[in-house]
Amino acid sequence: MIEVTDLLVQRDGRAVLAIDHLRIERGEVLAVLGPNGAGKTTLLLVLARLLAPERGRVTFHAPTGPITSDLEHRRRISVVMQDPLLLDRSVFDNVAAGLRFRHVAPEEVRRRTEAWLHKLSIHHLRDRPGLKLSGGEAQRVALARAFVLEPDLLLLDEPFSSLDVATRQTLASELRRLLHDTRTTTVFITHDQAEVRDLATRTVWLEDGRPPTDTP
């Protein structure tokens, strides 16, 4: 689905990410590992077309051919960060926000939002303000907001790292089920080896912005 070639991202004249070649296959769950400062989040921002590299290409291969428009690329992905970044509105409105931004018909917005509120077990919170939730509840809302868009590519930047162990394990288990059911191609950053074992179908290790060798 995604092919990264000859990629270089620099900061203050120093290479923070340099990848000769990386392929992300449709339907796989790729874990990106490495120490702090290894370039993991930088890679996610480049894949999301939120950061432009100094050199190289990120090609999104759709069934109809390569996608060349940044806007069309972004419309096919969802991103979940460590901080859920919820709006000061109801849980329902937070989950529905992306669909409304894309001008999806109101009845379709309601149907899809209600469905994902149930799938993430937060329907009972639908009218609660997004800023009045616990950490685990907020991340459930962030996941629902991502999945409701039915993305071709899901990008996760350590979404459970700030949660307690029990909540993290529960959410990881639910995410595994959702990824299995939806077959959503996923790239996620983590330091948690249990998450890697539970979720990943393949791993990539970054250090000083580079994989040890070219990654197929």
Side-chain angles (χ1 to χ4, degrees):
M1 175 183 286
I2 302 289
E3 187 169 17
V4 178
T5 52
D6 193 28
L7 185 71
L8 176 66
V9 178
Q10 294 181 317
R11 188 173 296 125
D12 299 325
R14 181 179 68 87
V16 295
L17 187 65
I19 297 177
D20 291 337
H21 189 231
L22 173 67
R23 292 170 62 93
I24 302 168
E25 302 295 341
R26 191 173 300 276
E28 79 171 334
V29 180
L30 177 68
V32 182
L33 308 172
N36 291 334
K40 302 184 298 297
T41 297
T42 300
L43 174 60
L44 232 64
L45 293 175
V46 170
L47 292 176
R49 296 274 180 104
L50 297 175
L51 178 65
E54 276 69 30
R55 187 183 73 221
R57 295 195 312 275
V58 176
T59 305
F60 198 127
H61 296 281
T64 54
I67 295 171
T68 57
S69 161
D70 281 355
L71 178 59
E72 181 62 20
H73 180 113
R74 293 188 188 114
R75 286 176 66 90
R76 290 172 176 265
I77 67 174
S78 289
V79 182
V80 179
M81 308 297 283
Q82 293 181 33
D83 186 336
L85 300 174
L86 300 185
L87 304 172
D88 189 16
R89 303 177 67 181
S90 71
V91 165
F92 182 96
D93 286 339
N94 269 278
V95 176
L99 294 174
R100 289 169 173 163
F101 181 78
R102 297 180 182 191
H103 305 294
V104 174
E107 182 56 30
E108 180 69 3
V109 170
R110 186 200 64 76
R111 184 189 67 79
R112 286 165 61 174
T113 300
E114 294 282 355
W116 279 102
L117 290 174
H118 281 291
K119 288 177 182 179
L120 268 301
S121 302
I122 50 175
H123 193 269
H124 63 292
L125 302 174
R126 71 185 307 282
D127 298 319
R128 186 175 298 181
L131 301 185
K132 300 293 185 181
L133 302 175
S134 69
E137 291 168 344
Q139 281 296 25
R140 287 176 182 274
V141 174
L143 288 170
R145 183 176 57 189
F147 275 107
V148 78
L149 297 175
E150 299 176 355
D152 291 326
L153 177 65
L154 177 63
L155 304 175
L156 305 170
D157 189 0
E158 297 193 77
F160 308 142
S161 62
S162 63
L163 306 177
D164 63 79
V165 174
T167 303
R168 187 186 311 155
Q169 291 174 342
T170 298
L171 276 174
S173 176
E174 293 192 32
L175 178 59
R176 181 175 66 247
R177 172 180 56 82
L178 293 174
L179 292 177
H180 178 270
D181 291 347
T182 62
R183 300 188 180 278
T184 303
T185 307
T186 303
V187 178
F188 76 99
I189 294 171
T190 184
H191 287 96
D192 190 321
Q193 291 298 323
E195 289 181 8
V196 175
R197 290 193 301 271
D198 288 346
L199 298 173
T201 58
R202 185 163 65 99
T203 63
V204 168
W205 178 268
L206 291 181
E207 190 158 358
D208 295 327
R210 295 171 169 83
T213 58
D214 282 358
T215 303

